[in-house]
Amino acid sequence: MPLKLASIMSTFPTHVEGDTLVSEALQRLESAGFNHLPVSEGDRVVGVVSRRMLRAARAAGGGSITLGALCDEPFVSVEIGTPLADVVERMRELSADAAVVLARGRLAGIVTNSDICRVLIDLMPGPPPHANRPDVA
């Protein structure tokens, strides 16, 4: 039975408005332990920012830039019923680290490369690759 997108995504992720400052968004990501943050304008998702993107913007002196200004790159947005293989292919095509998941056009979740890698590890036979390494939890 094929894996469902809903079974691996993070549901109802933290998100921020496009007028949020880079410095504020980075602080929220770091305190929550997330790597990606959907950006919205009202009910409409307009992009996704990553911790890496926000750190780069801050390092370039852009801590007071709004997220709306950073969200000019294409991002992957899919409906919750989209087959996982299609989501992964769209992410690959756009070199995206994450896909925003919508339910009837509204933010329902997010799936990241880390989520997909976790699924792949679970599908591999035998113990997880790090099972015998005391330095990896």
Side-chain angles (χ1 to χ4, degrees):
M1 174 181 238
L3 286 170
K4 301 281 188 189
L5 177 58
S7 70
I8 71 164
M9 72 180 196
S10 297
T11 56
F12 304 105
T14 298
H15 67 283
V16 292
E17 291 291 318
D19 61 356
T20 303
L21 298 178
V22 164
S23 55
E24 181 184 341
L26 186 57
Q27 183 178 18
R28 282 184 76 175
L29 270 180
E30 289 178 342
S31 67
F34 300 130
N35 288 314
H36 298 87
L37 193 60
V39 179
S40 60
E41 290 181 1
D43 288 339
R44 189 172 66 92
V45 178
V46 296
V48 176
V49 292
S50 68
R51 185 184 303 220
R52 185 178 336 127
M53 179 189 298
L54 296 174
R55 285 180 177 164
R58 183 183 63 187
S64 60
I65 294 174
T66 63
L67 298 185
L70 289 179
C71 289
D72 61 351
E73 295 181 15
F75 69 100
V76 177
S77 175
V78 297
E79 278 292 323
I80 198 163
T82 306
L84 184 56
D86 292 350
V87 176
V88 172
E89 179 59 19
R90 289 184 61 196
M91 289 173 67
R92 187 196 64 76
E93 288 171 353
L94 290 176
S95 298
D97 295 333
V100 172
V101 181
L102 306 174
R104 294 184 210 105
R106 298 186 67 131
L107 181 63
I110 190 168
V111 63
T112 67
N113 283 343
S114 294
D115 298 323
I116 294 164
C117 286
R118 198 170 18 259
V119 168
L120 289 174
I121 289 170
D122 289 346
L123 292 174
M124 292 178 184
H130 58 76
N132 296 321
R133 291 185 48 201
D135 62 321
V136 178

